Amino acid sequence: AGNIAFDLDKVVPEEEQQPKSKLLRNGTAAGAALSEFAARVKAGHASGDYAHLMEHLRTLGPSAIDVELRSIAISAPDARNVSEEDLEQLEQVLEFVHMETLEGRNFEFLQSFLSLFLQVHGEVVNAQPSLQEKAVKLEHDLGKAWSKLGSLLQDVRCMYSFFSGHTG
C-alpha cells in the first residue's frame, strides 16, 4: 500500500498521442465546422459578390470581428508554414477587402477591418509571396481610393468657400 507503480507497457509515446483539441488533432481548422464568417468569405469568393459577408460583418461587434479574424490560420506553427487551406482563406479575405475597395463602399469599415487583419496576420502576409502580391495590389488600389477621396474633399472645400464667400 502506498507504492506508486507505473505500467510502462501502457505508456503511449508522445509522438503517437492525439491532442485533445480538435483543431490540433486535425492539423488545421479543416476538421472544424466553418464559422459563419468563413462560410460567407468562401461563398463571396465563389460568387464574386461579398454583399452577404459585409452584411454579416456589420451585425458583429468589434470583439466578434476580432475573434473571427484571429480564428483564420490558427493551425500555422509559424508564418512560413501555413497550410494551403489557411493560405487560401487569408487570400480570400484580402480579395474581399480589395473588391469592396474597388466598389467604393464601406471605406472606413474596410480600413479598420484591414488594420486588424494586418495586425493579426501581418507576419504571414509578409512571409507568403501569394499574400504579398495581393497586398501590393490592394495597397495600390487603396492609394487610388484615398486620392479620389482627397479630391472629392477638396471639391467640397472649394464649393464651401465659394458659397460662403470665403476666399483662400
Side-chain angles (χ1 to χ4, degrees):
N3 290 345
I4 299 176
F6 294 101
D7 185 359
L8 296 178
D9 293 331
K10 292 185 179 180
V11 174
V12 179
E14 190 173 322
E15 59 272 357
E16 293 178 18
Q17 291 180 357
Q18 288 284 339
K20 292 180 182 178
S21 165
K22 189 176 193 179
L23 291 174
L24 294 176
R25 191 171 47 248
N26 292 324
T28 69
L34 287 178
S35 69
E36 181 76 15
F37 169 74
R40 289 185 187 221
V41 167
K42 194 172 202 169
H45 173 72
S47 69
D49 180 16
Y50 292 97
H52 294 294
L53 173 58
M54 183 54 75
E55 180 181 303
H56 174 67
L57 286 172
R58 289 207 166 273
T59 66
L60 299 177
S63 60
I65 293 172
D66 185 68
V67 167
E68 291 289 4
L69 284 176
R70 290 179 191 280
S71 71
I72 301 171
I74 59 173
S75 63
D78 61 59
R80 296 202 185 282
N81 297 316
V82 179
S83 73
E84 284 297 317
E85 184 177 329
D86 289 341
L87 190 59
E88 183 180 326
Q89 197 172 25
L90 291 169
E91 287 174 354
Q92 290 172 359
V93 172
L94 282 175
E95 182 182 304
F96 153 67
V97 175
H98 192 204
M99 295 299 290
E100 287 294 307
T101 299
L102 292 175
E103 293 292 328
R105 299 184 294 222
N106 305 303
F107 199 70
E108 286 181 359
F109 179 86
L110 289 171
Q111 290 294 298
S112 297
F113 183 85
L114 181 60
S115 176
L116 180 59
F117 177 84
L118 291 173
Q119 183 180 8
V120 173
H121 299 292
E123 287 182 32
V124 177
V125 171
N126 193 37
Q128 298 294 328
S130 63
L131 293 175
Q132 285 178 359
E133 184 180 317
K134 287 194 178 296
V136 167
K137 288 178 184 174
L138 177 58
E139 179 185 30
H140 178 263
D141 288 336
L142 278 171
K144 286 200 278 188
W146 273 110
S147 178
K148 183 178 177 182
L149 184 61
S151 177
L152 290 172
L153 288 172
Q154 180 60 31
D155 291 349
V156 169
R157 283 191 294 266
C158 289
M159 290 179 67
Y160 172 77
S161 293
F162 177 77
F163 287 116
S164 67
H166 294 109
T167 56

